[in-house]
Amino acid sequence: MKTVNFPFSAIVKQDLVKLGLLINAIDPGIGGILIIGPKGIAKTTMVRSLSEILPEIKSTGCRFNCDPDDENSLCDECLDNLKNKKLKTVYKKIDIKEIPLSATIDRVAGSLDVKAALHGEVRLNEGILGEANRNILYIDEVNLLDDSIVDAILDSAATGINRVERENLSYVHPARFILIGTMNPEEGDLRPQLLDRFGISVTASLPESIEEMVEISKRVEDFNRDPVSFQERYMKNDIYIKNKIINARINLYRIKIDDDDLRYLASRIMEKGLGNRAMIAAVKSARAIAAYYGRKKPDKNDLDLALYFAMNHRSKDVKKPEINNNINNDFDHKDNKDGSNENDKSSKNDYEIHNQKGNEKDVKSVEFRIKTSNDSGRVSTGSGFNRASFRPGSHLDIHGTLLNMAMNMDKSVMPYDLSFKSRISQGSMPFIIAVDASKSMKFKSRINDAINISSMILKEAYVKRSRVSLVSFSGTQASLISWFSRNFSSIEASLRSIKSSGKTPLADALRLCADISKRYNKKTVSFFLTDGRGNYPDASYKRIYDAAEYLGRYSRVFVINDDDFLPGYNKAIADASNGIILKKDENLIFEIKSRIL
């Protein structure tokens, strides 16, 4: 039975708890989060909601859910499959693995498989730590769990591996998970040694006003009445948060923390008499908070929030800081009189091509008799057409060849009539659509074009399991809006949420697309919808050319030029990346389909 979880963005208040959960998901190396608070404040609801907004992961499909792109963390079975070239790749949603209070150390850490042992095999029966690898490991009421089990869990959280040494069995497997624990201090404390092993913590509180409590009851009632409709109402906000998590993970280690900021963190931690774990947790938290809000370095509020998360469970009288930025993006839902949403209007001519009769002279009785000295293609005797052995990555452009014949008034195809166009190999392909969101009269047109292109890719290429990622660039930075996905509704909602602003950081957008392609570990296809007039941080030809050349190593680039009137860098991008410029006209979608599908 499919369950519907309460939307993360629909949770009222508790912003510190939500931010703590988010930064722990952005960087699981923080070491886990402990949520402290009384019963009945939606601690478990928030954890289950978090799993819905985390992006899919690439997995080998093995029992330990290994990452096929990280050979250093593969289990023994996956290493054997890699050696024999049998390693598989699947995409899956992140699961929640829960530690029950009745769990034994054998169930948690793993033990000898008794059935296999009866047949003379020594095999590991993986425990919850193995199942939780690259998932969420949730411990409700961690203070009531046996200390030895908590210790084993925290050891794995810190090292990223689980070592099983029992009954003549010795086995090591990856155990990297997003650790979340909750506890009610009224039911008992956790030993200080174990408390210190959690990277960060946050104290949740009861509703602070009548209005807040009333709003909570209304939302719960609406959710219970119709969970699906309620979830759809908050879908845009959840997508917004999900995309910020993806973007933050990519940019996490680009965040710079100045020496002055490090000294500030260290001085505050030493004032409380705390040690290295608190300092390391504070630094990681500050970096993750800045990455979530899209900053290049943490500001003062980020540092104070990081200190709170790192010291809350390690010291007394730690004041709660205010959050200066909203965690959710509260989209406006402005409905028109006819009930439609003005943000949902799109071009009527979606991606269909309507044939229209032209005035050109008809070309009749065309014969295809193409022969070359190196002809190794197969011959189609029925039509007299001989498919020549074209160079890899190209194919005959029938439309262009016919036009050349008409212009040259040839009755049969001559060598100089032949027209070829580049073609990308068929199969599963990852696509990146980069939208120039700088302030321009063409901004809305670019959004519609991006929607049409993504719709065409996902609907026409569904069998090939193609995926689309979105990038937006404007103002002073380029941002990842959506990681690779096959969900068109989600992609369309993400595109419509893009807001235009200021300048055009073209070089940054090119480099971001290259980094995304490099991380995806597969050659991508990138579409740039832009007029090519980059002007931030400067209009340096070399800067843009170098960035385009870098992108060309990891991606096949198509530049969709929407302005021929003023000069831009689109030709430089195409030249440097070995890409192609496509003209924005009524044949754009047809042209893209002919080249990639």
Side-chain angles (χ1 to χ4, degrees), residues 29-42:
I30 284 173
I33 180 172
L34 178 64
I35 304 173
I36 305 168
K39 57 187 177 182
I41 55 170

Side-chain angles (χ1 to χ4, degrees), residues 11 100 143 206 375 491 569:
I11 295 168
N143 51 326
L206 291 166
D375 190 3
I491 288 170
Y569 291 104

Side-chain angles (χ1 to χ4, degrees), residues 79-233:
L79 285 172
D80 289 340
N81 288 335
L82 179 66
K83 185 178 179 181
N84 299 321
K85 298 182 178 179
K86 294 181 180 179
L87 197 66
K88 298 179 181 179
T89 297
V90 297
Y91 290 87
K92 65 182 292 292
K93 183 181 174 183
I94 284 184
D95 294 328
I96 297 177
K97 302 297 180 182
E98 189 167 349
I99 304 280
L101 291 177
S102 59
T104 62
I105 189 66
D106 283 350
R107 177 67 188 100
V108 172
S111 61
L112 183 70
D113 189 330
V114 178
K115 285 186 180 180
L118 292 174
H119 293 86
E121 293 181 43
V122 179
R123 177 182 166 86
L124 174 72
N125 184 12
E126 68 274 11
I128 298 174
L129 291 179
E131 297 169 1
N133 186 42
R134 303 182 68 222
N135 287 307
I136 294 174
L137 183 62
Y138 177 46
I139 317 170
D140 193 15
E141 306 297 351
V142 63
N143 51 326
L144 303 181
L145 201 61
D146 185 82
D147 282 355
S148 62
I149 294 176
V150 177
D151 213 18
I153 294 168
L154 293 172
D155 271 340
S156 293
T159 61
I161 61 171
N162 179 40
R163 189 181 299 275
V164 184
E165 302 281 352
R166 334 175 53 83
E167 295 95 18
N168 295 322
L169 171 70
S170 180
Y171 198 96
V172 179
H173 66 78
R176 294 187 174 96
F177 41 77
I178 299 170
L179 177 62
I180 304 172
T182 65
M183 63 173 280
N184 181 357
E186 296 173 359
E187 297 172 345
D189 293 323
L190 198 60
R191 283 196 296 122
Q193 295 92 330
L194 296 178
L195 266 179
D196 188 50
R197 299 284 297 279
F198 274 94
I200 60 175
S201 79
V202 59
T203 300
S205 56
L206 291 166
E208 298 174 354
S209 67
I210 294 173
E211 289 75 21
E212 185 180 333
M213 187 170 282
V214 169
E215 182 61 27
I216 291 170
S217 65
K218 283 182 178 179
R219 293 191 186 185
V220 171
E221 207 168 67
D222 289 347
F223 175 77
N224 291 336
R225 187 183 301 112
D226 190 347
V228 175
S229 295
F230 187 82
Q231 195 175 57
E232 288 176 353
R233 193 195 311 173

